[in-house]
Amino acid sequence: MTDPNEALIIGGGPAGAAVGILLARSGREITIAEKSSTTHDKVCGEFLSGEAVQYLAQLGLDIRALGAAPIYGVRLARRERIAECELPFPAMALTRRKLDEALLELATHEGVYVRRGVRIDGLRRRQAVWSAQVADGEALQARSVFLATGKHDLGGWRRPKGKQNNLVAFKMYFALVTAQQNALRGWIELGLFPGGYAGLQLTEDGNANLCLLVNQKRLRACGGDWQTLLAYILDFSEHMAERLEGAVPQLQKPLALSSIPYGMLLHDSEPDLWRLGDQTAVTPSFSGDGMSIALHSAKVASDLYLNGGTSAELAARLHRELRGSIALATTTSRLMIAAPELAHLLRVWPQLLRVLGTRTRVPQTALVG
Ligand SMILES: Cc1cc2nc3c(=O)[nH]c(=O)nc-3n(C[C@H](O)[C@H](O)[C@H](O)COP(=O)(O)OP(=O)(O)OC[C@H]3O[C@@H](n4cnc5c(N)ncnc54)[C@H](O)[C@@H]3O)c2cc1C
């Protein structure tokens, strides 16, 4: 067997790229294996919360220079608009196409060996060395593995199912008519409909990202068909219908994702297996906090790793820090679908929106500066 690498990172999304950058800056020899060979769109609302913006700045990534669009407020709509409030933090919107590539470029610049088009199919540990099986038959050896495959589980390493796992996600970009683009600028809008909810915001190129979650029952009632589902949502929601009137889809078909283990949060890990981002915690999407968790886990993991900590300590710490916000986000997400009429509470108490916005994210006390 050849001498194993010090550390292998599997997956080059925000979590994997960030931990790679941080470890390489401390002089460690790091390899990232990323299955995609080129830039591509990902199922994501592309909302960067205040904590994510802060962590990206710490990494030295200037997202404004990449064109990130500022977001100042959130609006909630059911049939019509119900409530709106300023966000409790400055947020941004940036396509994953741009963000993920910029992070991998930065990782390369810092000396990480970034291997694109390398899909890991299996992972096992023998005599304190991990062996990752590449799809083409090659095996990569490492003493430590950072598991950052995000939404996709590695063969043999399935995550628990989570607490809300019956939702299917769709994402589509639209070019809005000018008046609607102007009305949306600076806002993230959440639209509730029977069986799901949708988020809409502008990205850096001026297109609107519509990212929605729908339960399987509603999707079946729509014949599993995107056009029927979209027509159903627009028929129900005056607000969304106004925004998308005359809008032109920008992808041939929507991106889709199912079996998302919302509410999943691990509390332990195998020796020298550092689980990051969606591989350790999956918070409901309406909170727009998944990327913050990914970047936070990367920062905590790199600090622990460089200071002789263990992967079990990482899991325990993230569990302690995130369990409250993920539990609240999961309960809220269930209510948004099971009892959306409760959202009308926000009409009389709009500050509740702000409270939920604050309490469903990585707590300020946990952030590492
Ligand atoms: C519908 C929806 C909307 C969302 N909206 C938002 C939002 O607006 N804001 C927000 O902050 N979060 C949002 N999220 C959550 C966010 O997308 C994730 O939390 C975040 O991407 C996690 O980062 P990650 O690095 O852990 O994983 P990912 O971003 O999924 O990255 C994993 C990487 O690993 C690679 N990979 C996977 N398998 C392998 C393999 N076997 N071998 C090699 N490479 C592999 C993938 O190609 C990918 O590049 C949303 C999620 C969903 C489902």
Side-chain angles (χ1 to χ4, degrees), residues 139 169 257-258 262 272:
L257 186 70
S258 60
Y262 287 125
D272 297 318

Side-chain angles (χ1 to χ4, degrees), residues 130-152:
W130 288 99
S131 176
Q133 198 62 45
V134 183
D136 69 3
E138 185 190 358
L140 302 177
Q141 321 282 345
R143 289 191 195 89
S144 295
V145 163
F146 290 82
L147 188 58
T149 54
K151 301 160 179 71
H152 303 283

